[in-house]
Amino acid sequence: MSNWIDIADLSDIPKRGARVVKTTLGCVAIFRTDDDRVYAIDDTCPHKKGPLSEGIVHGASVTCPLHNWVFDLETGMAQGEDVGQVTTFETRLLDGRILLDAHRLAARSAA
């Protein structure tokens, strides 16, 4: 069973933008697409440790600001010829509030 953490109002994140949620297990980047979909992934690029929350959001992808690796926000997989993946976290929208799956966040420490 999931425990959901209320982290922000949808309006707190600009369209095609991101915010960072700091947790005891690391930083999670929360992204909002142009059509108001919300995604959560690890904030750190596996390539050169770039802050993905500072990258460019386009469609359901984000481009790392350091070396232009592109990650699918739904799967966390690098796109194109790049090889790598970041952890994704389930999100929900409820009455305009963004909720983050705390169970999945806690499970990341078991790996």
Side-chain angles (χ1 to χ4, degrees):
M1 175 139 184
S2 298
N3 293 320
W4 296 94
I5 301 171
D6 184 327
I7 56 170
D9 193 84
L10 181 62
S11 64
D12 292 337
I13 301 175
K15 289 181 182 258
R16 296 181 312 275
R19 292 292 183 263
V20 175
V21 174
K22 294 181 181 181
T23 76
T24 57
L25 303 172
C27 292
V28 175
I30 311 297
F31 295 91
R32 177 181 177 190
T33 64
D34 195 41
D35 59 355
D36 293 333
R37 290 177 288 157
V38 177
Y39 298 97
I41 63 173
D42 273 330
D43 190 35
T44 305
C45 176
H47 176 224
K48 295 286 185 179
K49 308 299 182 214
L52 293 175
S53 59
E54 295 178 18
I56 297 170
V57 178
H58 44 100
S61 301
V62 63
T63 300
C64 178
L66 294 186
H67 293 93
N68 296 323
W69 277 32
V70 177
F71 292 90
D72 184 301
L73 293 171
E74 293 182 26
T75 66
M77 296 293 297
Q79 299 175 345
E81 296 180 20
D82 300 324
V83 178
Q85 184 172 11
V86 293
T87 302
T88 60
F89 302 93
E90 190 174 351
T91 61
R92 286 187 181 172
L93 280 176
L94 182 64
D95 298 327
R97 300 293 301 172
I98 300 169
L99 307 177
L100 181 63
D101 183 356
H103 177 72
R104 176 83 169 108
L105 184 63
R108 112 195 239 193
S109 65

